[in-house]
Amino acid sequence: MSFRLRVLALVLLVAVAATSATAWLTLRQAGSQVRESAAADRQSLAAITEQLRAYGAGHGTWDGVAATVRALAEKTGQRIRIGTDRQGQIADSDTLLGRDPRPGGTAPALLVDPRHRLEFPAAWEEGSMRKVTAPVIARYNANVTYAACLTRVGHRVTVLPGKFGIPLFQDGGKAPGGVPGAAPCTDAAPGAPRPADVLAADGCRAPHKADTLACLRRVFTERTAAVAPQPLTVRLGAVDDAGQSLAVGPAIGVAAGVTAAAIACALLLSRTVLRPVRALTAASRGLGEGDLGRRVPASGRDEIAELGRSFNRMAGSLQDSEERQRRLVGDIAHELRTPLANLRGYLEALRDGVLQADAELLDSLHEEVLLQQRIVDDLQDLALAEAGALTYHRRPLDARELVEACRTAHSARAAAAGVALDVVGAGPGTVRLHGDPDRLRQALGNLVGNAVRHTAPGGGVRLELAERDEMVRIAVRDTGGGIPAADLPRLFDRFWRADAARGRTTGGSGLGLSIARQIVADHHGAVEVASEVGIGSVFTIVLPSPRNPGSSGKTE
């Protein structure tokens, strides 16, 4: 199946599914809203039942609960009706809010039990629990009676935790709207336990402690039923008159219109997309067959144009990578050809007896071997560094010592070349760094070695150390011939040297700058370069200064 047909089918499927789902949801929601005016969610239901339970448990009576019912109805938008088996209906939010009572909703009634539960310490024996139950019943009846009295005379009731799960009630003072002239309530101490309560509690004997506790709780509930507030029946919701049903015809018309528009857009989209896609397909096929010069036209600012530009960048990167690979192979062959040819010539001459193996010849051969070994080592270091596998042993170090060590290591070479090697800015005091001192010395040494090599006798190379803006800067400034501006972008390329003839007297392997840049980058720094022909060059290593000087090093 062609791409155009696939796009058309996909868009058509999405359009039909979207419009069908939208129509179905609209009809379903509208029908649900017509059948029921409201449905209490779990959060409002929990809030209503919890506040009603707290009211009954904290007042010992349902008197005055109408104000709470009204506040809950205004807050949740629910129609609330409450009542008990003994008192019948106690309050209706429709009546409290000045409305005509509506028919009740279809939600099942809820039961709110405000009575407290008898609790004992876990370590208590059954005999102790039976002995305490009757006095607790007497105390609870007296407490609830006192709380109910405070509620009826309009006083606030303060609830405090008590023993055995039974709260204590205190007079919190007269509240606004209290009953004028009402007799104060007396918090009388409970009398002696009633014999019937003692007898009922003593009858709770069972083989297991859990069964005895359940029996005592049942006795507590039965013996306090006459005083404690009765369980409350709560009914929520109301049924309103059904409205008009949603017309199906307009929904179907809208769905058909959306589907037709989606099909038209799909056709236009497929036609617009297919042309550049075909070009990308042809270019990709050519790229896969080795034609790295293939490109696609990319104009505009849309995603397809950006895809074309991305493809062109990828093709250019592949072409550059292939070219670099070819150049790398040629450079390696060129770098190894000369020492290998020298070694071969001398060895053949020694084998044929043309030359004698004296100390000078052996030194020359050894120098060629060292040169070859250095190239191989540099290649290995660079490969490991670029792959992120180069090992670093990081620790706190002093940049001043790093610079001095580098100057000491290259002073003999500089003196032999007639070049003055000086250090500026490395006086007393510590310039803190965090890194691998050996690798950083290697990177700095590569820069210093290049500077000495390209500075004529009588010139100078200066190491400059400075610290500012939480960055440590180590500059290598020489008075050599300088580097043309056109060559600066290629300075850090592998095997690249300004001397096209690649003579041994004008440079090393061409890997030193690449290795230096990679080592500094692995230390979260950078190598900057500035040069002017006829005046000299400045290579600067910029490294971050550690924020916590006392931090310990980490080996990678």
Side-chain angles (χ1 to χ4, degrees):
M1 183 183 293
S2 67
F3 176 77
R4 177 175 297 176
L5 291 179
R6 290 182 182 181
V7 171
L8 180 61
L10 178 61
V11 174
L12 180 60
L13 177 62
V14 172
V16 171
T19 53
S20 300
T22 302
W24 179 78
L25 286 174
T26 302
L27 291 172
R28 186 174 183 274
Q29 292 177 357
S32 177
Q33 291 174 357
V34 169
R35 288 189 302 268
E36 289 190 24
S37 62
D41 57 19
R42 293 182 180 178
Q43 185 175 0
S44 63
L45 179 63
I48 291 172
T49 55
E50 177 58 27
Q51 289 195 36
L52 290 174
R53 189 203 65 77
Y55 183 90
H59 292 78
T61 180
W62 293 116
D63 293 347
V65 74
T68 301
V69 171
R70 177 171 180 169
L72 288 172
E74 292 176 343
K75 180 179 179 180
T76 63
Q78 294 278 2
R79 192 269 182 96
I80 305 174
R81 292 179 297 155
I82 62 173
T84 64
D85 293 340
R86 183 185 301 172
Q87 297 175 265
Q89 181 168 301
I90 297 176
D92 184 345
S93 62
D94 276 358
T95 304
L96 295 174
L97 295 174
R99 303 171 181 165
D100 292 333
R102 294 171 290 172
T106 59
L110 304 173
L111 189 66
V112 176
D113 191 351
R115 295 174 294 186
H116 294 85
R117 183 181 179 183
L118 187 63
E119 301 288 350
F120 292 104
W124 274 36
E125 300 293 336
E126 299 177 22
S128 300
M129 293 191 295
R130 287 193 296 269
K131 183 177 180 181
V132 169
T133 299
V136 171
I137 292 173
R139 164 55 71 183
Y140 180 70
N141 287 336
N143 288 353
V144 171
T145 302
Y146 177 61
C149 176
L150 293 175
T151 301
R152 294 188 184 97
V153 300
H155 284 219
R156 292 191 302 272
V157 181
T158 302
V159 183
L160 301 175
K163 293 183 178 180
F164 310 112
I166 309 305
L168 302 177
F169 301 97
Q170 291 184 354
D171 189 351
K174 183 177 179 182
V179 180
C185 300
T186 302
D187 184 11
R194 294 176 297 183
D197 297 341
V198 175
L199 183 61
D202 190 61
C204 290
R205 298 177 183 273
H208 302 288
K209 183 177 179 180
D211 297 334
T212 301
L213 179 59
C215 177
L216 292 174
R217 286 172 174 169
R218 184 170 59 255
V219 168
F220 176 82
T221 301
E222 294 172 353
R223 294 294 172 174
T224 59
V227 177
Q230 295 298 303
L232 192 69
T233 301
V234 182
R235 291 180 173 84
L236 303 178
V239 178
D240 293 330
D241 294 335
Q244 296 181 351
S245 300
L246 183 66
V248 180
I252 295 177
V254 171
V258 171
T259 303
I263 293 174
C265 292
L267 293 174
L268 180 61
L269 176 64
S270 63
R271 185 172 183 179
T272 304
V273 170
L274 281 179
R275 186 181 297 109
V277 167
R278 291 193 187 100
L280 281 170
T281 302
S284 299
R285 187 179 297 112
L287 201 64
E289 294 173 354
D291 185 5
L292 301 180
R294 293 291 294 269
R295 301 292 186 271
V296 296
S299 59
R301 299 182 179 179
D302 58 2
E303 290 78 1
I304 299 298
E306 181 59 31
L307 177 61
R309 286 190 286 269
S310 298
F311 177 86
N312 291 339
R313 287 194 295 269
M314 179 192 67
S317 178
L318 289 175
Q319 189 174 21
D320 293 342
S321 177
E322 181 73 14
E323 181 63 28
R324 285 195 301 270
Q325 183 177 357
R326 293 175 181 174
R327 190 164 55 247
L328 175 62
V329 173
D331 289 339
I332 294 176
H334 183 89
E335 292 294 333
L336 296 179
R337 181 182 295 112
T338 299
L340 287 176
N342 290 338
L343 287 173
R344 178 182 177 181
Y346 280 114
L347 290 174
E348 289 178 351
L350 288 172
R351 183 192 62 184
D352 296 338
V354 176
L355 294 178
Q356 296 297 323
D358 56 10
E360 183 179 358
L361 178 59
L362 292 177
D363 288 342
S364 177
L365 293 178
H366 184 258
E367 182 180 353
E368 292 295 337
V369 171
L370 291 179
L371 177 61
Q372 189 170 235
Q373 181 65 43
R374 190 184 68 181
I375 295 174
V376 174
D377 291 342
D378 286 347
L379 280 172
Q380 184 179 19
D381 286 348
L382 184 60
L384 290 174
E386 291 182 346
L390 194 61
T391 302
Y392 293 97
H393 300 280
R394 304 178 191 269
R395 63 176 178 82
L397 58 98
D398 186 357
R400 181 181 57 81
E401 295 179 355
L402 178 68
V403 172
E404 288 290 347
C406 188
R407 182 190 66 81
T408 301
H410 290 80
S411 59
R413 181 178 179 183
V419 177
L421 181 59
D422 300 320
V423 174
V424 177
T430 300
V431 180
R432 289 182 292 270
L433 282 176
H434 186 79
D436 187 327
D438 295 333
R439 293 297 183 186
L440 289 176
R441 188 159 49 245
Q442 178 184 1
L444 183 58
N446 288 348
L447 299 182
V448 174
N450 280 351
V452 171
R453 187 182 301 114
H454 290 88
T455 302
V461 175
R462 187 170 61 191
L463 296 175
E464 301 174 353
L465 176 63
E467 182 180 18
R468 61 176 180 271
D469 299 330
E470 298 184 354
M471 303 297 290
V472 176
R473 303 176 69 88
I474 305 174
V476 180
R477 186 183 302 274
D478 64 58
T479 59
I483 304 170
D487 293 339
L488 290 179
R490 301 192 58 191
L491 275 180
F492 295 96
D493 291 349
R494 292 174 295 189
F495 291 111
W496 186 88
R497 293 210 303 257
D499 178 17
R502 309 179 68 84
R504 293 293 172 189
T505 59
T506 60
S509 65
L511 297 173
L513 290 179
S514 299
I515 295 174
R517 182 180 63 174
Q518 191 63 49
I519 291 175
V520 173
D522 290 343
H523 284 77
H524 311 291
V527 179
E528 301 173 353
V529 58
S531 183
E532 188 173 350
V533 176
I535 295 179
S537 305
V538 181
F539 287 81
T540 305
I541 295 178
V542 182
L543 294 169
S545 179
R547 295 182 179 180
N548 184 9
S551 62
S552 61
K554 179 181 178 182
T555 300
E556 300 179 3

